[in-house]
């Protein structure tokens, strides 16, 4: 009995103490915020992050995912660099010399060394780009070269073309050590300079790649760096560390000395690490957002990303879904505001369009969504019932079962239920069968048209509306709806080839989106958002809609 | 004994080969694609990738190809991780899981046997049902609940231990404890039941009649005999626990092999599925052999001689 009493005394003391500490801790950090020391840089410029997965690959030729792309963009420098959604000249000294037909671009390179002390040359760019088009290097994402129209890229990548694999014919040439000439099939599209910041367009040095052989890019020291940071260590499975690159030409803008990434798969563990000060930033999944907004309101930040999420409506194998009124009914039946507020709750916004808002500005300096900020909404629940009644008459049906293909992650499961319930509730007589699958299998079923509705998302490959639009043309592998519209196809074709007249191209893409949304081949749902908490002393971290996913290249830490 | 072990080792190779083959075939029947960005590629580009990795060949050809490489020590590269060699993942990740599992097994076994003996000796008394109630709780509640409670209570609330990681000795305490609780509980149950049974045996009465001291009876006769079934459980349990606990490793961010296996299956990372399964199978097979040999050491009656086994 005595021992018990003692323990409860100790426990209540600990409880009281930690409450006091929590209150002090809270007021302490906020007073620092308003206090005099708030603008002084801390001596220790170390930033600690948690991330859910390890780096899949460091080899710029193998990069397909955001984490790998992020590492490459933080540690390497291409001709340009994305920061705050705008491109800046990086290895290119500035505007290239452009030929009269706007097809040939001659870049002057800056003096910059690789991390082993040898200079970065134009030949390194030529080799890097050619390697992306060399089948022997097993490139994973090189179609970007064709998207931007680098000369012969499409032919070199096509196994049925006589030029297949002959990467020497790629439109890139070193005129001398510091001059790089890029030749395109047509005048450069507006996203030409921004795409040059991507991992696929980084320089790689031939002698180093060959000397490393199979070991190339397998560890932190089997890769060369020329960017703001170098990868100092990579402990596979547990995390990696960046150090500031003291030889980077623009090093004055890098304030952080060390950046640590720790692989933490459980959100609750990441939250606990943040609470105990072991990491300075933490991504919040929907169930944590409200609690954090209450306990640490000043630390919660949100950004809208450029991922678009939608339902494929399969009219190829399901004849009923060929009916426009039925597709409109499906579109109108889903309350998107409810979805983003109650289920996602992470900064995502409702969407009724193909191209997201705040992603890219046109030649007029206005956002693509400026004229149609709300997109093309099909209407509310009442409209849904009307469309559904019309569809029932036209099709001669009274009931309909829909097979809804989606993914099986815990966050998607809630969305699946929500969408299914909305359809059932607002379209009486409709039943929905959810088929939740792992990604690998989802892709397979989606490509084989084994679904009626399929939940999917799309992130941009380059900073241009076309990255969301051209996938819907007839016969594109991503167009798993069976929708086909000749007018749409011809508009996309003219915007793809008519890159010379920028203003006309811009309008053509807007027109194409309008035509598509009149037909509702898909049901747009939302534009993704990201919500996180960051310590008040951390400044300058950003999550841009295009470019490095987590941009800490200019972040810094204040005294605290 | 030698012949017996040689024979067992031959069987081990056969069972390993069967496991390898069955895994390969069932893996090839799994639906889905190993290429994460298959939706971004045209059929030609996808065909190209399949060709690069030999996935366009008949399964029989792929199987022979895999065996050939396996014999030469090449387990291939991970699709999920830019073709980094699978062997490297196993070499880096497995020792971590092994260490975690072994620590939990050692702690769990010692405490479990201890509690079991106590409960068995004090049968139907307070110590017995107290220990057994605790052990029932330990068996029924999954380890990740303990992990979450321990992490929040001892790392966030009072901050005695680090929240996560696997570096300092202090960082081992919580994950090992969470994992060991289940082991303690299960082994305590087993040990108690065996003790109770053994203490009722005639030879214990004989020993008492011979005038042996209580401690001699308990240590020399009771515990030793009660241990035999416990050893049977410990073998496969060790194999299961050292091959990684997905949940515990995730909660305490331990870079072990547990999550690798699950991730590989979900993403159709064929070489990784094969590599991790082979490792698990090999461990299980070896663990069972070790258990059989241990029997002989504990119980002289089971000791096998070359002449008898043939």
């Amino acid at each position: 009995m005595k021992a018990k009493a003692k323990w409860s005394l100790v426990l209540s003391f600990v409880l009281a103490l930690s409450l006091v500490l929590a209150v002090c801790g809270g007021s302490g950090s906020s007073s620092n915020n308003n206090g005099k020391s708030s603008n002084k840089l801390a001596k220790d410029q170390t930033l600690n992050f948690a991330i859910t997965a390890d780096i899949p690959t460091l080899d710029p030729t193998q990069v397909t995912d955001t984490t790998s792309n992020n590492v490459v963009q933080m540690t390497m420098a291409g001709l340009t660099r994305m920061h705050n959604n705008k491109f800046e000249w990086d290895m290119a000294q500035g505007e290239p010399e452009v030929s009269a037909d706007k097809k040939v671009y001659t870049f002057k390179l800056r003096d910059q060394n690789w991390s082993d002390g040898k200079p970065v040359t134009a030949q390194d760019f030529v080799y890097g780009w050619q390697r992306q088009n060399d089948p022997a290097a097993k490139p994973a994402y090189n179609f970007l070269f064709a998207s931007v129209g680098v000369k012969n890229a499409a032919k070199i990548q096509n196994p049925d073309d006589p030029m297949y694999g002959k990467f020497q014919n790629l439109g890139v040439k070193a005129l001398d050590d510091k001059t790089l000439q890029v030749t395109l099939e047509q005048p450069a599209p507006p996203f030409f300079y921004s795409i040059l910041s991507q991992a696929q367009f980084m320089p790689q040095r031939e002698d180093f790649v060959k000397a490393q052989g199979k070991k190339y890019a397998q560890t932190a020291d089997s890769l060369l760096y020329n960017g703001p940071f170098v990868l100092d260590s990579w402990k596979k499975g547990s995390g990696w560390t960046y150090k500031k690159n003291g030889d980077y030409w623009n090093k004055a803008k890098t304030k952080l000395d060390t950046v640590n990434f720790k692989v933490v798969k459980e959100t609750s563990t990441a939250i606990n690490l943040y609470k105990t000060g072991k990491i300075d930033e933490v991504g919040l999944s929907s169930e944590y957002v409200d609690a954090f907004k209450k306990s640490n309101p000043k630390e919660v930040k949100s950004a809208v990303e450029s991922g678009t999420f939608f339902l494929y409506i399969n009219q190829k194998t399901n004849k009923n879904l060929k009916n426009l009124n039925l597709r409109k009914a499906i579109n109108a039946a889903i309350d998107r505001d409810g979805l983003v507020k109650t289920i996602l709750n992470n900064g995502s916004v409702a969407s009724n369009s193909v191209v997201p808002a705040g992603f890219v500005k046109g030649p007029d300096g206005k956002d693509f969504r400026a004229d149609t900020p709300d997109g093309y909404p099909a209407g509310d629940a009442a409209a849904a019932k009307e469309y559904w009644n019309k569809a029932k008459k036209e099709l001669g049906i009274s009931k309909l079962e829909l097979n809804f293909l989606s993914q099986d992650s815990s966050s998607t499961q809630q969305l699946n239920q929500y969408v299914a319930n909305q359809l059932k509730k607002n379209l009486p007589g409709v039943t929905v069968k959810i088929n939740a699958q792992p990604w690998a299998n989802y892709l397979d079923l989606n490509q084989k048209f084994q679904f009626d509705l399929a939940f999917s998302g799309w992130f941009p490959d380059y900073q241009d509306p076309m990255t969301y639009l051209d996938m819907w043309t007839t016969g594109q592998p991503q167009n798993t709806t069976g929708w086909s519209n000749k007018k749409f196809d011809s508009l996309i074709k003219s915007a793809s080839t008519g890159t010379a007249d920028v203003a006309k191209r811009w309008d053509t893409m807007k027109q194409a989106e309008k035509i598509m949304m009149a037909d509702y081949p898909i049901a747009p749902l939302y534009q993704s958002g990201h919500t996180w908490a960051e310590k008040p002393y951390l400044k300058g971290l950003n999550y841009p809609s295009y470019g490095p996913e987590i941009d800490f290249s200019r972040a810094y830490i204040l005294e605290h | 004994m030698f012949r017996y072990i040689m024979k067992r080792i031959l069987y081990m190779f056969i069972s390993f080969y069967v496991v390898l083959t069955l895994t390969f075939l069932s893996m090839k029947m799994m639906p889905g694609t190993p290429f994460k960005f298959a939706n971004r590629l045209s059929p030609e580009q996808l065909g190209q990738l399949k060709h690069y990795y030999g996935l366009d060949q008949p399964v029989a050809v792929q199987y022979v190809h895999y065996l050939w490489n396996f014999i030469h020590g090449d387990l291939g590269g991970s699709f999920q991780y830019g073709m980094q060699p699978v062997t490297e993942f196993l070499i880096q990740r497995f020792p971590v899981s092994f260490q975690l599992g072994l620590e939990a097994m050692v702690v769990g076994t010692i405490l479990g046997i201890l509690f079991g003996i106590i409960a068995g000796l004090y049968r139907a008394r307070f110590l017995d049902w107290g220990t057994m109630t605790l052990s029932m709780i330990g068996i029924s509640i999954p380890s990740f609940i303990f992990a979450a409670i321990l992490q929040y209570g001892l790392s966030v609330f009072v901050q005695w231990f680090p929240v996560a990681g696997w570096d300092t000795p202090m960082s081992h305490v919580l994950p090992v404890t969470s994992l060991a609780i289940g082991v303690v509980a299960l082994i305590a149950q087993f040990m108690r039941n065996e003790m109770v049974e053994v203490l009722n045996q005639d030879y214990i009465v004989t020993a008492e009649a011979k005038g042996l001291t209580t401690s001699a009876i308990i240590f020399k006769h009771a515990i030793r005999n009660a241990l035999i079934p416990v050893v049977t459980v410990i073998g496969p349990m060790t194999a299961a626990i050292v091959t990684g606990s997905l949940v515990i490793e995730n909660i305490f961010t331990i870079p072990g092999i547990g999550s690798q296996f699950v991730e590989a299956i979900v993403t159709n990372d064929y070489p990784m599925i094969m590599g991790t399964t082979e490792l698990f199978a090999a461990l299980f097979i070896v663990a069972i052999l070790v258990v059989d040999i241990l029997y002989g050491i504990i119980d002289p009656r089971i000791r096998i001689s070359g002449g008898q086994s043939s």
Side-chain angles (χ1 to χ4, degrees), chain A residues 70 73-74 82-83 198 542-544 546-551:
Chain A
N70 214 79
Q73 291 189 43
M74 290 295 119
M82 285 303 295
H83 185 67
Q198 295 295 296
N542 79 56
Y543 284 86
Y546 179 74
E549 189 195 19
I550 314 172
D551 189 356

Side-chain angles (χ1 to χ4, degrees), chain B residues 85-101:
Chain B
V86 168
T87 5
E88 219 170 86
F89 277 94
L90 301 184
I91 291 169
Q92 281 172 345
R93 303 281 176 91
F94 175 61
V96 179
S97 292
F98 189 78
Q99 197 190 359
L100 167 65

Side-chain angles (χ1 to χ4, degrees), chain A residues 455-477:
Chain A
F455 173 64
S456 186
W458 192 256
F459 282 84
D461 283 324
Y462 43 87
Q463 200 179 20
D464 191 84
M466 193 57 94
T467 192
Y468 297 97
L469 290 170
D470 65 352
M471 61 194 268
W472 300 109
T473 52
T474 307
Q476 276 293 307

Side-chain angles (χ1 to χ4, degrees), chain B residues 197-220:
Chain B
E197 210 181 308
V198 167
L199 287 174
N200 280 336
Q201 295 285 328
D202 290 345
Y203 59 82
I204 299 289
V205 182
T206 313
E208 273 172 2
K210 268 195 330 191
L212 283 181
T213 58
T214 316
S215 62
I217 292 171
I218 290 169
F219 284 102
K220 249 185 138 172

